[in-house]
Amino acid sequence: MKRRPISCFLIVRNEADRIEACLQGLAGWVDQLIILDSGSTDNTAQLCRQYTDEVYITDWPGYGPQRNRALAKCQHEWVLNLDADENITDDLKAEIDTVLSEPDLDANILRLPWQTYLFGKPLNHGRYSTAQGKLFLNKDGAQFKNSQVHEVLQIANPKARTLRHPLKHYSWRTYQHLQEKHLKYACILAQEKHARGKTGSLPYAALRFVTDFLQQYVLRGGFLDGKQGFFMAMVLGQYAFHKYAALAALQMQQDADNTPSRETSS
């Protein structure tokens, strides 16, 4: 049986320094390649046009809405959702070709092992080694959660199958980029929680630093990744702290704004 056709999409912005490594593995293999560029100020869009005619310049509505925009442009039932920092290997492509050629394939999500690199070495344990549902069957209302960050794929009656060969993931360019990215996500999540009426406190933020560090480093085996594993556990502890500290800061500001000043009350 011929391999089922694949639509692939990427949502990008200012990825000129690394997107070609991703596109080179996709061009000529996927049957449709879609790029949504949310206003790059470098030559990302120009580079993408060397690999596909379907490059669209858009605004930025958030991760979930942007992925749903791209999903609406996909012509084929099987959809591959990648980011510019992810590189697909020949071994993984061959495995996908084999699976999508099975006549009786009953899975509607194919989870790709995630091999995330931190400062030159892969993280083989913990959050960033979890297989990702990057390839899925786009039918029966499949969509991404309409959130600004951590947009989860929502699919009816999910039947997942995990492949063997990894997807290479190079998320962070530098230490500064790593910290900026996690702080940005933490603040966005705090704003979403605050809008839903959630509250936070600094003691809880400090507690979450400890528990999230221990979960990553001890319970999920991050210690087995050596220096990189300790580094990532610290970063994820900081991420949890920043998320709830930002939420506490929003609450404190709201309380201050709602408290009459002495001049007003006198």
Side-chain angles (χ1 to χ4, degrees):
M1 178 179 174
K2 183 180 179 181
R3 192 258 284 159
R4 296 168 176 83
I6 298 172
S7 291
C8 176
F9 73 80
L10 289 80
I11 61 173
V12 302
R13 186 176 187 276
N14 290 340
E15 297 285 0
D17 61 327
R18 58 183 181 177
I19 196 170
E20 284 200 275
C22 175
L23 296 176
Q24 286 167 359
L26 297 171
W29 176 63
V30 295
D31 302 278
Q32 182 188 20
L33 181 55
I34 300 164
I35 312 290
L36 265 61
D37 185 314
S38 56
S40 290
T41 55
D42 60 11
N43 64 331
T44 296
Q46 294 91 318
L47 288 172
C48 291
R49 290 191 180 101
Q50 297 176 18
Y51 295 88
T52 177
D53 294 331
E54 292 196 67
V55 179
Y56 305 92
I57 308 301
T58 75
D59 62 348
W60 178 246
Y63 286 95
Q66 188 77 329
R67 291 195 196 278
N68 285 325
R69 279 180 178 174
L71 184 59
K73 296 181 181 296
C74 293
Q75 298 172 359
H76 303 297
E77 285 193 340
W78 280 94
V79 173
L80 178 62
N81 161 38
L82 291 188
D83 292 321
D85 58 11
E86 295 172 327
N87 298 344
I88 195 163
T89 65
D90 290 340
D91 287 339
L92 179 54
K93 288 191 288 187
E95 186 177 8
I96 291 172
D97 286 344
T98 298
V99 172
L100 290 188
S101 298
E102 295 178 3
D104 300 320
L105 178 63
D106 63 352
N108 55 15
I109 301 176
L110 298 183
R111 299 191 184 278
L112 312 185
W114 221 21
Q115 190 168 55
T116 299
Y117 284 77
L118 177 65
F119 307 140
K121 291 186 178 181
L123 297 169
N124 296 314
H125 304 85
R127 181 181 301 181
Y128 284 101
S129 65
T130 304
Q132 303 292 305
K134 292 282 185 176
L135 183 56
F136 61 92
L137 194 58
N138 181 24
K139 61 189 300 187
D140 299 329
Q143 64 176 355
F144 292 89
K145 185 178 179 181
N146 196 33
S147 58
Q148 294 297 304
V149 68
H150 294 330
E151 61 290 2
V152 178
L153 175 66
Q154 298 172 319
I155 192 168
N157 302 314
K159 295 181 181 179
R161 176 169 167 181
T162 302
L163 304 188
R164 294 186 301 109
H165 293 95
L167 177 69
K168 305 289 185 179
H169 181 216
Y170 303 93
S171 186
W172 311 290
R173 297 176 175 92
T174 62
Y175 175 73
Q176 180 177 339
H177 181 224
L178 180 151
Q179 289 289 9
E180 289 174 346
K181 193 171 182 179
H182 280 90
L183 181 58
K184 174 185 174 183
Y185 287 0
C187 291
I188 291 173
L189 287 170
Q191 290 166 358
E192 289 186 342
K193 287 177 179 292
H194 183 68
R196 297 197 305 268
K198 302 293 185 180
T199 60
S201 68
L202 288 179
Y204 183 71
L207 176 63
R208 283 298 299 264
F209 172 86
V210 175
T211 58
D212 283 47
F213 169 84
L214 291 175
Q215 181 186 50
Q216 173 71 14
Y217 193 65
V218 179
L219 298 181
R220 303 189 71 172
F223 66 92
L224 297 172
D225 286 326
K227 292 180 180 179
Q228 276 78 4
F230 181 78
F231 211 111
M232 182 47 60
M234 288 292 293
V235 168
L236 291 178
Q238 290 175 328
Y239 175 54
F241 172 83
H242 288 314
K243 182 166 53 178
Y244 290 97
L247 180 58
L250 290 169
Q251 183 63 48
M252 287 188 288
Q253 185 64 57
Q254 179 177 300
D255 292 343
D257 292 342
N258 291 336
T259 301
S261 65
R262 289 185 178 180
E263 292 181 0
T264 303
S265 59
S266 61

